[in-house]
Amino acid sequence: MEVAPVSVSIFEAIEKSIPEYSQFRDNVVDGIRQALVKFVDRIADPDSAGDPHDDIHRKLGAWEFKSGRSLDSLQAAYRIGARVAWRHVCAFAERRELSLHLMSVLGEAMIAHVDELVSLSVEGYAAAQASAAGTLERKRRKLMELLVGDPASNWQAVLDAAQAAAWPMPDRLCAVALEPSAAPADDLPPDVLVNFEDATPYLLVPNPAAVSRWVRGALPGWRAAVGVPVAPADARKSLACARRVLALAKEKVLPDRPVLDCADHLVELTVLADEVLARQLAERALAPLAPLTDRQRTKLAETLLVWLSARGGAPEVAARLQVHPQTVRYRVNQLDELFGDRMHDAEERFTLELALRAHYLLDRD
């Protein structure tokens, strides 16, 4: 059996069924030629070891991936090649009058050889796929760093990184801050940027909609906080907000839930945006309560907050506090004596309510 003409014959048969292989004819013919040589060598010396540097069939698998195809066409080409090669083997066997036993041995050897070639191509395909995934992952990690970096990166650099990472820049996104976990995270949408390697892992979710719901489904066993939706240029602000919510939940300021949404806690985030200032506000605005006993301070502060937020009379405040209306009137009279005109000035009332909310949020003991 002459290798060169058989190689061409096999390629012509493959080309009829898979026309796209015409564009890299030389590579395919080279692969066919090497496959035939290996087969002949194996028949001549079954114990011979293959050449570890001969990777043409791995390259064929890699080319399939880089061309954007599955392995279906290449596996079909191997089947076609095997059929054509077997016809040449049968013609050779007929001329040499080979026995049925030898034909059976040749047939089994050919099947085994084709299986080996397919395995090599699968390895090449998988290696190219893994390499591409790793490269894309690195590019997306770089994009995430640019998006959440402080100070902000040059926006053109961000757009270039997004293009390199094959990530269409959305109109809006939100960050999801995560606490480290060993739980699986396998069901995230492909357009979500992920960083599980960071000491404080996070996601960037494009065009966010119902993020809290799918985070609960996609990341069971994880504790997460969903940041506010922002323009991509403000991604770091969404992440800072989400991380702040996680921290407040850990400090028992916010509820202990697996998934928290910043949108549900904007008041707390605003009041505690700067704890030092919030404490200063609480101490200064509520200074008239300082000389009182703890018991008096607690009852009057509670009454003042309900009175300010209710904007109603003694019966409504009493209903919320579950005390008698006369008790409310007595406490409000005490508050009038302590705070004076501040109780009835709109700006001062706002300051007092803000100070009280800061006080309760900061009083974690």
Side-chain angles (χ1 to χ4, degrees):
M1 184 173 72
E2 295 183 10
V3 169
V6 174
S7 298
V8 173
S9 175
I10 290 174
F11 176 77
E12 290 173 350
I14 291 173
E15 188 179 28
K16 288 180 182 178
S17 297
I18 313 170
E20 60 265 32
Y21 279 8
S22 298
Q23 60 187 313
F24 47 102
R25 174 190 178 100
D26 291 344
N27 290 328
V28 177
V29 171
D30 191 32
I32 295 169
R33 183 187 59 76
Q34 289 196 31
L36 292 174
V37 169
K38 284 182 180 181
F39 177 66
V40 172
D41 289 346
R42 175 168 292 182
I43 295 300
D45 183 4
D47 297 326
S48 63
D51 182 357
H53 301 294
D54 182 7
D55 60 352
I56 183 63
H57 295 282
R58 288 190 179 88
K59 286 181 179 178
L60 287 173
W63 285 327
E64 288 297 278
F65 174 78
K66 292 172 184 177
S67 299
R69 293 188 292 268
S70 70
L71 278 172
D72 292 346
S73 294
L74 185 57
Q75 289 175 332
Y78 281 126
R79 290 193 294 271
I80 294 169
R83 286 199 298 271
V84 174
W86 182 245
R87 286 199 292 269
H88 284 275
V89 168
C90 289
F92 173 81
E94 186 176 356
R95 290 195 301 270
R96 295 299 180 93
E97 298 182 348
L98 298 183
S99 68
L100 183 61
H101 172 71
L102 285 177
M103 289 294 295
S104 175
V105 170
L106 285 172
E108 290 181 4
M110 179 169 287
I111 292 172
H113 185 55
V114 171
D115 285 345
E116 181 181 327
L117 299 180
V118 170
S119 295
L120 290 171
S121 293
V122 169
E123 287 178 14
Y125 191 95
Q129 191 174 41
S131 176
T135 299
L136 186 63
E137 184 179 353
R138 287 191 295 274
K139 289 179 178 178
R140 290 196 165 192
R141 186 72 54 78
K142 178 62 176 177
L143 172 61
M144 294 182 78
E145 292 171 359
L146 291 175
L147 281 167
V148 303
D150 192 8
S153 302
N154 174 276
W155 191 242
Q156 188 57 52
V158 176
L159 293 176
D160 291 344
Q163 184 176 10
W167 193 73
M169 186 63 67
D171 293 329
R172 307 280 282 176
L173 60 74
C174 75
V176 178
L178 303 167
E179 284 189 2
S181 172
D186 302 325
D187 197 24
L188 294 172
D191 60 346
V192 172
L193 300 179
V194 303
N195 184 347
F196 291 116
E197 308 304 321
D198 199 271
T200 50
Y202 64 99
L203 316 174
L204 293 179
V205 183
N207 304 313
V211 177
S212 296
R213 187 183 310 124
W214 71 248
V215 165
R216 279 191 289 271
L219 297 173
W222 288 76
R223 187 176 300 278
V226 178
V228 292
V230 295
D234 292 324
R236 64 188 181 284
K237 296 178 181 178
S238 181
L239 181 57
C241 171
R243 284 176 170 168
R244 180 65 171 145
V245 163
L246 271 188
L248 290 174
K250 191 173 183 178
E251 294 165 4
K252 309 300 182 186
V253 177
L254 297 181
D256 183 17
R257 295 174 186 154
V259 180
L260 293 164
D261 195 325
C262 287
D264 297 330
H265 301 285
L266 295 177
V267 172
E268 294 93 330
L269 287 168
T270 301
V271 172
L272 298 181
D274 188 313
E275 286 197 19
V276 173
L277 293 181
R279 289 187 186 278
Q280 286 287 323
L281 173 65
E283 289 175 9
R284 288 173 179 269
L286 304 178
L289 299 177
L292 305 179
T293 65
D294 287 345
R295 178 183 172 83
Q296 290 174 318
R297 211 164 33 244
T298 298
K299 289 183 178 298
L300 287 180
E302 181 183 40
T303 302
L304 179 57
L305 180 58
V306 175
W307 183 79
L308 289 168
S309 58
R311 298 290 193 271
E316 183 180 348
V317 175
R320 292 196 185 187
L321 293 174
Q322 296 184 329
V323 298
H324 195 278
Q326 190 58 39
T327 301
V328 172
R329 294 187 185 96
Y330 173 72
R331 292 181 185 173
V332 170
N333 286 336
Q334 287 182 289
L335 291 165
D336 270 326
E337 292 178 8
L338 291 167
F339 289 94
D341 292 342
R342 294 173 63 193
M343 292 277 288
H344 307 285
D345 179 272
E347 288 191 10
E348 289 294 335
R349 287 166 66 102
F350 174 77
T351 299
L352 286 172
E353 184 172 356
L354 194 61
L356 284 163
R357 293 189 182 278
H359 166 74
Y360 283 117
L361 289 171
L362 291 167
D363 185 17
R364 297 163 191 163
D365 298 329

